[in-house]
Structures are given as structure tokens and as C-alpha cells.
Amino acid sequence: MPQDAFVFDAIRTPRGRGKKNGALHEVAPIVLLQNLFHHLHQRNKQFDTAQVDDVVLGCVTPVGDQGADIAKTAALYAGWDWDVPGVQINRFCASGLEAVNMAAMKVRSGWEHLVVAGGVESMSRVPMGSDGGAMLSDPKVSRALDMAPQGIGADLVAVLEGFSRTDVDQYAVTSQHRAAAAQSAGRFTSRIPVRDRNGMVVLDHDQHVRADTTLESLGALQPSFAMMGEMGFDAVALQKYPQVEHIEHIHTAGNSSGIVDGAALVLVGTEAKGKELGLKARARIRAAALVGTEPTIMLTGPAPASKKALALAGMSVNDIDLFEVNEAFASVVLRFLREMGINDMDKVNVNGGAIALGHPLGATGAMLLGTALDELERRDLNTALITLCVGGGMGIATIIERV
Amino acid sequence: MAIHYEKDADNIVTLTMDLPGRSANVINAEFGQAFLDALNKVTQETELAGIILASAKDTFLAGGDLEMLVALDTPETAFTNSEGFKAQLRRLETQGKPVVAAINGAALGGGLELALACHHRIAIDNDKIKVGLPEVTLGLLPGGGGVTRMVRLLGLQAAFSYLMEGKQVSPKEALSAGIIHALAADRDDLIAKAKAWIKERKSAKQPWDESGYKMPGGDPRRPEVFQMLAIAPAMLRKRTYGNYPAPEAIMSAAVEGAQTDFDTASRIESRYFAQLATGQVAKNMISAFWFQLNSIKAGTSRPAGDQAGTKKVGVLGAGMMGHGIAYVSALSGMDVVMKDVTAESAQAGKDKIAKLLDKRLSRGKMTKEKRDEVLNRIVATADAADLKGCDLIIEAVFEDRALKAKVTVEAEAHLAENGVFASNTSTLPITGLAEPSANPENFVGLHFFSPVDKMPLVEIIKGAKTGEYALRKAFDYVLKIKKTPIVVNDSRGFYTSRVFGFYVNEGAALLAEGMHPRAIESAGLQAGMPVGPLALLDEVNLGLAMHIRDQTRKDFEAEGKTLPNHPGFAVVERMVTEFKRQGKAQGAGFYDYPVDGKKRLWPELQQHFPAAAEQLPQKEMIERMLFAQCLETVRCRDEGVFTSTADANIGSIFGWGFAPFSGGTLQYINAYGLKRFVTRAAVLASKYGERFQPPASLIAMAEKGETF
């Protein structure tokens, strides 16, 4: 029998707008991590860092400030024992959750006992696409893979599912209002303010949230993907989906995930290691699953990944108390709900999601897990499922259960 | 000697290309050896100031010899050949002494590639001279360093249109684009300027061999370039549906090469070249657009005999077709009399011609004087007597036998002695139309395509009594108006209209089977056709399609035969009679045509033709559309409708836009492999009907291992 993997803690930074005028643009990604490493250590009885078998961090654009294995760099820079290894991983938008799942797998294998998972992305410092990649910039590859940007896929999902501009905007309004309510009620309890080298607070709240968002204000925004669609990507998608007459571009900056800076960490280990260090297990990781899906539409992974995870855990969709579905685009969440047969919106993204809070690519998955765990405890519920759509046509899901 | 070697008193060596027995210089084995010898000799010169590459022909260098190219049977040979020639070019540009290309005439393909390996390029300032890399139009890439050097010379984005679209420009345009460095007035000036440039320097290097060289516009790592590269393949895909490997290979070779050193880039280019040169699409395109097109223009289908030029053309009817025919005739230097029923309608046609000319004028393609001259060559009239002296009269009135008979008799009276009368019809058999003619020997069919000024093909129809002189006259006239003639024997629908019908009817049949209409249209476009079958039926007009079918059925019955039913017929009939939707002209067919906006499929279409539970894969629909056309082409061949493979292939591509990358309807079968094609056709026949049954002649050819 493999030993269970437990979550001892899950913390995150606030999310700053991912632009030059964003609050965290002045903070290097390594410093975002340094802050969190420090707090994780402090919050957990200043455990002996030499006990950590590995640090697994997601980062989607691992060049420049984020290059050269930022996981190992961060562990060293945070002053942890040099005995602690580190690895940076990239599963696109799923990287943060993938890090948690890999940590759980390491622990369940019996070969490791305490692993720090998480992720980081300073999208203002290292813009998306800075790492190049054959998928995007090598013509023969993008041709062979029928690659289109995710926004085209999001709009295609909406066309296929019959979602209107109002449908996706309405969803975005809900996300904003929920996030604003959660923030003002102080429900983001595991959010650690970012401080400068003097201890002065640089950012203590999620900067991307707009509490005053209305259907009218969103309706005024221009579609983000109409021009690139017209230039050629619609043609690529339509050649793959020949029954679709026309792609109506309905996703805008207002109903897509926000571009932000941020980081997150999750401490994962065995029950025995927890006891040894005096740490309290907060949740068990019940299942983790990945799937590949049709790459041109790219964003349809959450439902099949969730079904796979549920099957692994021997659970049904009704056994899940809360869902965190990454709001890459509004249509992704709406499609997920339809595919999973979930009608109760009070179980889904109850504190808002990436449309309001932003999606720091490498960190988001770990952030969602922490948000779900905090909310389970607040409501005294038991199970949560976290899922994200992933670039290249993948899906990821993780199920946690409180202990 | 393919290259003359001459050294002057200033120690400047002029290498003059002059391939014996050829009207133009091309790169073949003989040229390659001569070039190597010249290079060996020049690099051994102890006193050398510089090198001029010049030509003794009207062209500078017309490119690679395609005969040699199609003989390349393995990628290894293609790669080695390409690398071998490029090594010489590299030697030329790195030997140290200044090298000037003296471009006196067309420098295309390998010709421009040679010039690009020179340090300085001067061309005679004559707009008739073309400079460019047209390889892509034959399914190839410039494998003589063209990709590598153009990218380094112009930058990725600027190089793309020359490399991927085969854009050809005049020396003036080449100068402003940065492809050449200077213009010269004539040959003497050209050589003088070349020598002067050499005398100004002791050595020369290519920009890309200088230390600190930076690619114009930036290399692919630069964010602006990266973004352009992310969307460029999609932009290409939108145009090509992935059917053309050459522009894709060019883009890849350019991008990959931009990230490496010169020699590596050059080798990457050779590898892509080797794949394309030995691939099927290049074979198809070279065969159609080079060898077959040239054989047509050389008169393979023309009866032997003297030129039968046309001086004065009469055109009956000033409508869409009539004024188009008058326009292209006048533009090619012929006098034109355009007659319609009233002087007003004749003048209206002439006004439309004036508009076409004004468009050319505004685009700088024509001078004001030339415009007036062309327009003044056209007499618009309602008086048949004005046709006097015309040596060719072309009627372009409605497709109505009685009307055509009437105008034939009326106009023939005014024909010059031994003049020829031509009927422009797309479906009516010529033999019948020739009956009222006083001289059926001099009666011929000329099937123009609409719009006449843009469509490149004219189908010449030989009636039962059409004589050789009339055929020659028609053939020479079509060449004169710069169009491509194919010659077919008389039969209903001739070749093009008949086979084209099988494309659109297959689309209608798929609709009847419950295939999604959008998917049907997509399949047509993915097959390489210019327009989806349903949209085309709308354009042709569904009422007309039904009328043609009824007429065809009657003609069959008159011969004691039965017209085989096509499942597409019923769809067309329902559209016309039940839903009253005749097509685009009426604003309602398979599509709706909103006044302000793009056409959209009629939303009710799927109610009337409900979707089948199981939708066919796109590939199956694509093959049905293409096979239907190819099989009907074979039946035309069996019936002697056309007599040359070139006419069939070129006719299909130029006539109704049959997938150009396939090389035409018969070449499609060759490329598919006759045995495989026959087997597949039999499977399609068992699933979808008799129209896919492979003809006995095709089965016999397949068994004998023959090709078209």
C-alpha cells in the first residue's frame, strides 16, 4: 500500500496586475518566492529545512528572471539548507497543480517524505511567449499541430456550446463580485503580503479584482481575438471543425483570466514526517489525473481530467463539496459545468477565480488548491476538486479531502 | 563554351554566360561545369581586380533547367546537386575580390540566386525585365541559396513575399526593395558601372559575412518577429488549406536558417529543397504549369499551318461576356466592332470597358495615351453593317438556339472573305449551332469564362464540320489575347462545363445524404477547389443548372438514351421549385446574401436536408468531389472530347479551378496511382453509386501499368 500524501500548508502571495504599473512589477520573482519560503518555514514551527526531500515549482516562462531552475535558486536564496534540492517544471497553466501532484506522487512512492510544491510567475517581468518554443514559433510545428492561440479555442468552445457574449459576461460579473466579497470579508486567509527588504508592505491584496464590474461595463469591451482570428487562426480552427460556419469572438479582457504576478507554495508529506516535525495534516490528496485533448480547441481538458480523477478516487461528482475550475476563459468553466452535469453554482469557484483575481501561469494551480482548502475549513466541508485547462490540449485535476 | 572568359587591361575578368544552342541561359550540367571551370581559373589569377557576371543572351539567367530538375529521383541526388552548386556560389562570394552581377535581362530563380551571391547587383532600367524567385509557383523552393540570402538581405518578413508568393518585380522595384543596388541605362552603361564599382575597392564581402552583421528586422528571437512568426503559418494556412508544401517549407527553411550561421542555413535549405524537388506536388505543378502549358502554347493541339492572325474582331452582344471579349481583343491590338441590339446597350458595354481601362490606368499599368488608343479601337454600334471587314466575328448573345441562329445569319453576311464565325457558348453543341451558317467549315466554338478579363482559359470547340483553318484562326486568336487555348470536340457541355458539373452535383448529393452543409463547403475548399460546391451552384444559378439538366435529358432521349440520374439533381430541383431559391443573383440560394454583410448558409437548409446521424469524414467527402471530376474526365477522354492530356489537365485548372497542386484531373489519377485509384473508385461506386464506377479504359491502363 502506498503511503498517503497529506497537505500541511498552502500559502500564496497577493496577485499584482501583470503590467509595468502593477504593484509587484518592482519585485523580482525570486523575491516573491523568498517571502513565501520564509513564511512557510515560520508558520510551520520552523521545521528543519534539511528534512525537505525536494522543491518542485511550476513556472511557464522559465527564462530571464525565472530561468536557471528557479526552484533550487529560491531554496538557496531563502536561506534553506543546501541539502534541499529543487526542480522547476512546466505544464503550462497546470504547472502549479502539477507541482503538487508530483509532490504527492513522490511521497506516495515512499521514496520521499516531505516535498515543497508550488509555482511562480511574474508575467510583468517575463511576458508570456518569452521562452519561444517550437509549438508557437516554428512554422513547421505549428502547422503540423494545427496550433491556434487559446483565445481562439475559447471562442470556439462558446460557438460549439452555444454560449453567447451575455452568457460569458454574466459569468465574469459573478466571478468579480464573488472575489470582491471574499476579499472584503477577509476570506483569503492564506494570503501572505509581499514585503520589501525593509519589511515594508508592497502589496497586501489582490490587485486585479474590480468590484464595480457590471454587465454593461463588460459589454463595452472589444473582443480580444477577432483580429488574429481574421488573419488566419479562425481558418486553422475551422479547417479542423468544418461544421462550424463562423467563429463569433466573444472573449474579451473582461471575461478571460487576468495577467498578474504571483507565487504559491504547498507543503506536502507523509503522516509520519508530519508527526515527526509536529505538523498538522490539513487534507489528504485523494487523486490526481491528467488527460490530453484535441489540441486546436485546446481548452476542453477539465471535465475528462476530473472524471479520471473521480474514477481513481472511487468517487462521483456528487461526492465533491467544492470545485475550483480555473477561469482561463469564461466559456471553459461553463462548458465544464455542462459536461459534468453540475447545476449548483454555489459549489463552484465560490470566491471568484482567475477572471477577477488573475492567473499567474506557473502558480495558479497551487493557489487554487490553497483557496479550496481554506474554504473547506471555513465551511466545514470535506472534499474539493481542483481542475485547469492546459496549453497544448491537456487537462489536470486533483481531489483533496480534509482529515 | 557556356561561359566566355575575358580579362581586360584593368585586370577585371568578365564572365559572360552564353549557353550554346539555347535562347536563354539556364543552369544545367553544362552550365555547372563551365561555371566551375571559370571559377577555378579566376581564383588562380595572380592579378585580379574583380569579376563581372554578364550574359550574352536577352535574359541574364532564367534559372534551373527543369528537365534536369524533374529527373532528380532521390532526395540524396537533389541534396548533393543543390549543395554542389551552392558551394561554388559560396566560393564566389567569399574569394575576396569584388563581384558584380550585370543584369541585362530576366534574372529569375537560379538567375537571381547567382546574382545574390555577387557583392553588387546592377540591372538595366527596363520595366520588362523581371527579377524574382518564382520557384514556389512550381512547388519548389529556391534551393540555390535564395532563401538563405534573401532572408539575410531583406529580413524575414520582407523576404517572405518574394520567397513564398514568387513575387516578380522590375529593376526599379528591385532597387527600392534593396534586392539590387543600382540601375543602368543600357548594356554599355551596365558594364561601365560594374567596372567603376570594382575599381573603387580592393576587396568585397557580403553584408552577412561582415562581423557585427545584424539581420534586417531582427532575428526570430526578437519579440516583434516572434509574434509575426506565430501567426504567419496560420495566415498561410488560410490561403492554402495545407495543400501546398512549398510555401510551408520555405517559411520553415527561412526561420530555421535565420537562427543559424550561413553555411548551416544553406544546408537546411538544401534539405527542404531535396524533399520538395522529389515530392509529388512539385512533380504535379512542374508537369502542368511548365511542360504541359508550354506544349499547349507551342501548338500541340493546333493544326499545323501558317499563322492565321486576326485584325478586326466583331463581337455580337455587349453584355458581361461580349464587352469582356471586346476588351481583351482591343487590349491585344485588334480593332473591334461591338454590336448590340440598341446603340445604348452597345455604348453601355463600351463604358464598362472604359472603366476596366481606367482601373489599369490608376494602377499605373497603362498610360493615358495607351488607354485612349485602346478605347478608340472599339466601335460600339447597333448596325450590323458596321461589322463589314471583320475577319473574326464572335457572338456572345444569350444561350438560346434560335437567337444564336438569327445573329449568325445576320452577321455572317458582313464577314471578310474567308472570315471565321465563332460562337461563345458554354453548353450548346457547336455542330447544331453551325447549321444556319452559310460556311460551317469556318464556324467554330469559343467558350470564354467569366469574367473574361481575368479567366485564363478559352475552350475551342470543333464542330463536326469545323475546318482546320477556322481552328488555327481560333487558336492564334486565343494566344493573341494572352489566354490559354484548349481544343475539344463537340459534345454537350464540352469538357469544362461537363466535368465541372460533377463537382457541384457531388456537393448537392452530399447534402441530400445529410452531410452538414458547412462541412460540405469546407471539404470543397480543403480539396483545393476555389469555392465550395454549394456556393458555386448559387453563383452558376440553380435555375440554370436545372435548365441545363432538362436540356441534357432531352438530348439524351433524342439519341434514344437515358440520362443517368445524379442524386444531386433532386436537391437542385427542390431548391428551385419547392423553396424558390435560385441562387446568388436572386439573393437566396443555399446561402442568404444580406445586402450589408457576408453570405451565410441558409439557416433552414438543415431542416429540409436533415443531418445524418453519422457524418462522413472530411477526407471521404474530399475524395468523392475529386474522384467524381477525374472519372468524368476519363469518360470525356474515352469519348474523344479532348485529345491531349495537357488540354485536360490545364483545362481543369484554368477552366474551373480544379485543385492546382494536383496538376489537373488526369495528373491527379497519375499521382494517386492508377491501380489504387481504380480500386478506390470501385469502393466509392459500391457505396455511393454508378458515377464512381471506373471506366474499362482506366482499368485496362491500370493493369498495363500505364499513366496519362
Side-chain angles (χ1 to χ4, degrees):
Chain A
M1 273 295 284
Q3 49 190 342
D4 276 345
F6 292 90
V7 175
F8 298 113
D9 203 1
I11 58 174
R12 70 170 175 97
T13 66
R15 291 173 243 193
R17 260 196 301 275
K19 297 179 179 170
K20 286 205 168 83
N21 63 6
L24 297 183
H25 183 59
E26 65 176 78
V27 184
I30 191 73
V31 175
L32 295 177
L33 287 171
Q34 180 200 22
N35 260 289
L36 290 185
F37 271 75
H38 174 73
H39 279 273
L40 192 70
H41 187 233
Q42 292 298 318
R43 280 162 62 104
N44 291 286
K45 306 193 171 164
Q46 300 186 30
F47 60 87
D48 173 13
T49 56
Q51 296 294 311
V52 175
D53 291 311
D54 200 3
V55 175
V56 183
L57 294 185
C59 180
V60 178
T61 318
V63 296
D65 278 346
Q66 299 179 155
D69 192 354
I70 196 167
K72 177 62 183 169
T73 314
L76 288 175
Y77 188 60
W80 285 23
D81 198 292
W82 51 255
D83 195 31
V84 182
V87 62
Q88 173 264 318
I89 60 158
N90 180 9
R91 200 187 288 283
F92 302 129
C93 301
S95 300
L97 193 59
E98 178 63 36
V100 176
N101 292 352
M102 279 175 70
M105 291 174 201
K106 282 166 170 273
V107 166
R108 283 171 64 88
S109 75
W111 288 356
E112 294 182 8
H113 308 279
L114 188 65
V115 180
V116 175
V120 62
E121 206 79 41
S122 175
M123 300 179 75
S124 71
R125 286 263 183 128
V126 190
M128 272 189 287
S130 305
D131 57 336
M135 187 185 272
L136 290 173
S137 68
D138 187 337
K140 65 177 179 293
V141 180
S142 60
R143 155 74 182 93
L145 274 53
D146 293 320
M147 271 298 144
Q150 292 155 12
I152 302 291
D155 288 331
L156 182 56
V157 165
V159 172
L160 292 173
E161 299 288 325
F163 302 140
S164 68
R165 172 74 186 261
T166 311
D167 294 336
V168 289
D169 278 351
Q170 186 58 60
Y171 180 83
V173 171
T174 306
S175 176
Q176 289 284 3
H177 291 174
R178 286 180 170 184
Q183 179 148 267
S184 64
R187 263 179 249 153
F188 295 134
T189 47
S190 301
R191 186 176 65 194
I192 313 293
V194 174
R195 293 174 186 277
D196 75 358
R197 54 200 314 117
N198 306 299
M200 294 160 63
V201 171
V202 178
L203 184 69
D204 64 358
H205 65 280
D206 291 309
Q207 207 183 8
H208 193 269
V209 181
R210 289 169 177 264
D212 58 354
T213 301
T214 63
L215 209 47
E216 289 68 40
S217 66
L218 288 184
L221 297 174
Q222 289 298 313
S224 300
F225 309 100
M227 208 215 318
M228 65 171 73
E230 174 58 32
M231 283 174 79
F233 286 121
D234 282 357
V236 172
L238 292 176
Q239 286 173 34
K240 194 80 168 259
Y241 290 81
Q243 299 188 2
V244 176
E245 182 161 10
H246 170 73
I247 297 180
E248 188 73 28
H249 292 286
I250 60 171
H251 283 93
T252 67
N255 53 38
S256 311
S257 53
I259 290 174
V260 293
D261 302 337
L265 293 181
V266 181
L267 188 60
V268 179
T270 58
E271 195 170 17
K273 183 58 77 176
K275 277 198 179 122
E276 183 189 323
L277 299 174
L279 304 178
K280 187 180 174 309
R282 292 169 65 192
R284 177 187 282 113
I285 298 175
R286 285 282 306 261
L290 287 162
V291 294
T293 55
E294 198 282 293
T296 303
I297 197 165
M298 204 189 288
L299 308 174
T300 56
S306 298
K307 287 175 183 169
K308 190 173 172 184
L310 286 168
L312 282 172
M315 298 167 81
S316 86
V317 67
N318 296 323
D319 296 327
I320 301 297
D321 296 324
L322 291 174
F323 294 88
E324 281 292 331
V325 189
N326 189 35
E327 295 172 352
F329 300 91
S331 67
V332 173
V333 184
L334 295 177
R335 178 181 163 124
F336 172 82
L337 298 177
R338 187 175 283 180
E339 263 186 287
M340 297 297 289
I342 299 168
N343 301 314
D344 187 359
M345 270 299 285
D346 290 339
K347 285 182 169 184
V348 182
N349 298 353
V350 294
N351 291 320
I355 289 173
L357 294 157
H359 176 18
L361 306 178
T364 306
M367 287 185 171
L368 294 183
L369 184 132
T371 304
L373 181 52
D374 286 347
E375 191 65 18
L376 284 180
E377 289 171 350
R378 194 180 75 82
R379 297 190 183 199
D380 196 19
L381 295 170
N382 286 320
T383 56
L385 184 149
I386 302 101
T387 180
L388 298 91
C389 56
V390 189
M394 293 186 277
I396 192 169
T398 302
I399 297 171
I400 58 170
E401 181 178 32
R402 277 178 66 212
V403 288
Chain B
M1 279 289 279
I3 296 179
H4 307 302
Y5 190 103
E6 185 195 352
K7 187 171 172 185
D8 71 5
D10 295 317
N11 292 321
I12 295 174
V13 169
T14 302
L15 303 177
T16 307
M17 303 177 283
D18 190 10
L19 200 61
R22 294 265 201 159
S23 60
N25 289 314
V26 294
I27 303 170
N28 58 11
E30 186 181 1
F31 180 90
Q33 187 58 48
F35 188 69
L36 178 63
D37 293 344
L39 205 52
N40 285 338
K41 189 169 169 190
V42 80
T43 46
Q44 278 161 23
E45 294 278 357
T46 46
E47 298 287 324
L48 179 69
I51 305 163
I52 298 172
L53 271 163
S55 161
K57 313 278 194 198
D58 292 338
T59 53
F60 177 69
L61 177 58
D65 183 4
L66 288 166
E67 300 267 6
M68 187 177 86
L69 214 143
V70 291
L72 294 172
D73 48 358
T74 68
E76 288 79 7
T77 328
F79 177 79
T80 311
N81 280 11
S82 172
E83 285 287 280
F85 182 60
K86 288 200 289 198
Q88 303 311 324
L89 294 183
R90 190 68 182 139
R91 238 176 107 197
L92 180 71
E93 73 178 354
T94 54
Q95 48 70 41
K97 293 294 174 189
V99 185
V100 181
I103 302 169
N104 63 296
L108 296 171
L112 179 57
E113 291 182 296
L114 174 63
L116 288 168
C118 300
H119 302 114
H120 195 68
R121 292 172 286 283
I122 311 173
I124 293 180
D125 185 12
N126 176 348
D127 287 349
K128 293 220 168 94
I129 293 176
K130 291 294 169 217
V131 173
L133 298 166
E135 284 86 344
V136 68
T137 60
L138 296 175
L140 296 168
L141 69 70
V147 176
T148 304
R149 289 193 178 85
M150 283 293 266
V151 165
R152 279 161 171 72
L153 185 66
L154 304 180
L156 276 167
Q157 196 159 9
F160 274 172
S161 61
Y162 296 97
L163 296 169
M164 282 162 48
E165 291 159 29
K167 188 164 94 174
Q168 298 181 20
V169 293
S170 68
K172 260 196 210 75
E173 292 164 318
L175 179 69
S176 68
I179 298 171
I180 65 168
H181 301 93
L183 296 173
D186 52 34
R187 270 183 195 256
D188 289 345
D189 188 33
L190 184 64
I191 298 300
K193 281 191 166 138
K195 290 190 171 180
W197 192 83
I198 288 172
K199 284 180 199 167
E200 282 167 20
R201 66 209 72 231
K202 291 212 155 42
S203 64
K205 260 188 184 178
Q206 294 282 29
W208 44 88
D209 290 323
E210 299 281 359
S211 63
Y213 163 77
K214 285 205 169 61
M215 188 169 288
D219 72 26
R221 282 171 288 258
R222 187 168 163 164
E224 294 83 1
V225 180
F226 178 84
Q227 283 181 3
M228 184 270 291
L229 291 180
I231 198 162
M235 292 167 73
L236 181 63
R237 184 72 181 280
K238 185 178 177 178
R239 280 197 288 126
T240 65
Y241 290 85
N243 287 324
Y244 294 84
E248 289 174 8
I250 289 169
M251 192 188 284
S252 288
V255 172
E256 290 176 37
Q259 298 172 79
T260 65
D261 62 280
F262 187 96
D263 292 332
T264 306
S266 184
R267 201 163 51 248
I268 290 170
E269 176 190 295
S270 298
R271 292 194 194 280
Y272 278 107
F273 170 77
Q275 187 185 21
L276 288 178
T278 55
Q280 188 61 49
V281 171
K283 286 191 196 313
N284 294 342
M285 292 177 84
I286 293 171
S287 144
F289 300 123
W290 185 256
F291 292 109
Q292 294 184 354
L293 190 55
N294 285 347
S295 84
I296 286 174
K297 287 183 174 163
T300 308
S301 297
R302 178 189 184 275
D306 294 341
Q307 281 290 310
T310 295
K311 288 194 181 67
K312 189 173 175 186
V313 186
V315 180
L316 309 181
M320 183 78 183
M321 298 307 288
H323 85 257
I325 296 167
Y327 168 70
V328 295
S329 303
L331 202 60
S332 304
M334 288 171 258
D335 291 326
V336 178
V337 178
M338 181 167 61
K339 182 199 169 292
D340 208 314
V341 181
T342 65
E344 289 74 31
S345 45
Q347 185 56 43
K350 192 171 173 181
D351 292 346
K352 284 184 189 136
I353 294 174
K355 271 194 189 150
L356 288 170
L357 288 166
D358 289 341
K359 203 185 271 178
R360 284 178 82 87
L361 183 65
S362 69
R363 288 185 185 160
K365 287 188 169 173
M366 186 177 246
T367 61
K368 175 84 172 63
E369 294 70 40
K370 177 85 183 172
R371 173 221 180 255
D372 295 344
E373 188 194 319
V374 171
L375 200 59
N376 288 335
R377 242 180 245 144
I378 302 167
V379 174
T381 180
D383 184 358
D386 286 336
L387 294 165
K388 193 169 168 52
C390 286
D391 51 333
L392 174 66
I393 294 178
I394 304 166
E395 67 80 8
V397 301
F398 297 115
E399 296 275 75
D400 178 293
R401 284 199 173 96
L403 177 63
K404 284 190 188 285
K406 178 173 163 282
V407 301
T408 302
V409 173
E410 181 188 70
E412 258 189 356
H414 304 284
L415 259 182
E417 198 181 336
N418 206 21
V420 169
F421 190 92
S423 177
N424 170 54
T425 174
S426 57
T427 51
L428 301 176
I430 288 297
T431 307
L433 292 180
E435 273 164 20
S437 170
N439 190 5
E441 274 224 340
N442 276 4
F443 192 103
V444 69
L446 280 181
H447 175 200
F448 285 86
F449 295 77
S450 181
V452 177
D453 60 309
K454 294 211 176 73
M455 297 298 284
L457 191 80
V458 177
E459 192 173 23
I460 299 175
I461 302 113
K462 194 175 149 187
K465 293 184 179 164
T466 303
E468 286 198 350
Y469 175 73
L471 268 187
R472 274 193 281 139
K473 181 105 178 164
F475 198 96
D476 295 345
Y477 165 76
V478 174
L479 283 184
K480 177 87 177 166
I481 57 170
K482 298 190 181 70
K483 299 204 182 287
T484 302
I486 61 167
V487 178
V488 304
N489 284 309
D490 197 15
S491 67
R492 171 151 285 284
F494 318 125
Y495 167 54
T496 56
S497 303
R498 172 172 162 181
V499 179
F500 162 81
F502 276 76
Y503 168 53
V504 292
N505 277 327
E506 198 59 36
L510 285 162
L511 188 64
E513 290 170 35
M515 296 309 118
H516 194 291
R518 183 70 245 162
I520 296 170
E521 295 292 80
S522 270
L525 296 167
Q526 288 170 324
M529 305 300 294
V531 184
L534 304 178
L536 258 181
L537 267 169
D538 272 7
E539 280 179 30
V540 168
N541 194 288
L542 292 156
L544 179 65
M546 202 167 92
H547 173 76
I548 292 170
R549 179 207 62 186
D550 291 342
Q551 187 64 48
T552 310
R553 184 174 286 157
K554 274 184 211 155
D555 289 355
F556 264 75
E557 282 162 6
E559 292 170 37
K561 295 192 282 192
T562 316
L563 174 68
N565 184 45
H566 193 294
F569 292 162
V571 174
V572 173
E573 188 158 335
R574 278 188 81 191
M575 290 298 291
V576 175
T577 54
E578 193 177 333
F579 312 127
K580 315 280 181 236
R581 297 178 70 93
Q582 294 233 355
K584 188 178 178 181
Q586 287 75 18
F590 289 112
Y591 287 80
D592 279 332
Y593 296 86
V595 187
D596 49 350
K598 278 190 187 168
K599 67 173 188 250
R600 295 195 82 137
L601 279 163
W602 182 35
E604 285 176 44
L605 208 51
Q606 278 197 284
Q607 267 166 252
H608 302 300
F609 302 97
E614 199 155 325
Q615 293 287 309
L616 290 176
Q618 290 300 107
K619 188 165 176 282
E620 183 95 345
M621 292 200 277
I622 290 168
E623 281 203 344
R624 279 176 61 173
M625 290 176 192
L626 294 175
F627 267 60
Q629 297 172 73
C630 296
L631 286 161
E632 192 62 12
T633 302
V634 176
R635 286 181 209 113
C636 284
R637 185 177 182 268
D638 289 348
E639 294 167 27
V641 173
F642 56 81
T643 53
S644 96
T645 299
D647 282 357
N649 283 329
I650 291 295
S652 70
I653 298 172
F654 286 4
W656 72 93
F658 184 83
F661 61 88
S662 73
T665 42
L666 292 181
Q667 179 60 20
Y668 179 89
I669 303 176
N670 283 346
Y672 205 95
L674 268 71
K675 279 210 170 95
R676 254 186 88 220
F677 185 93
V678 163
T679 310
R680 178 76 178 127
V683 171
L684 291 175
S686 68
K687 280 158 91 174
Y688 307 114
E690 273 298 293
R691 64 192 180 282
F692 290 106
Q693 202 61 58
S697 65
L698 189 64
I699 297 171
M701 280 182 75
E703 280 169 1
K704 281 185 254 170
E706 292 172 350
T707 56
F708 293 106

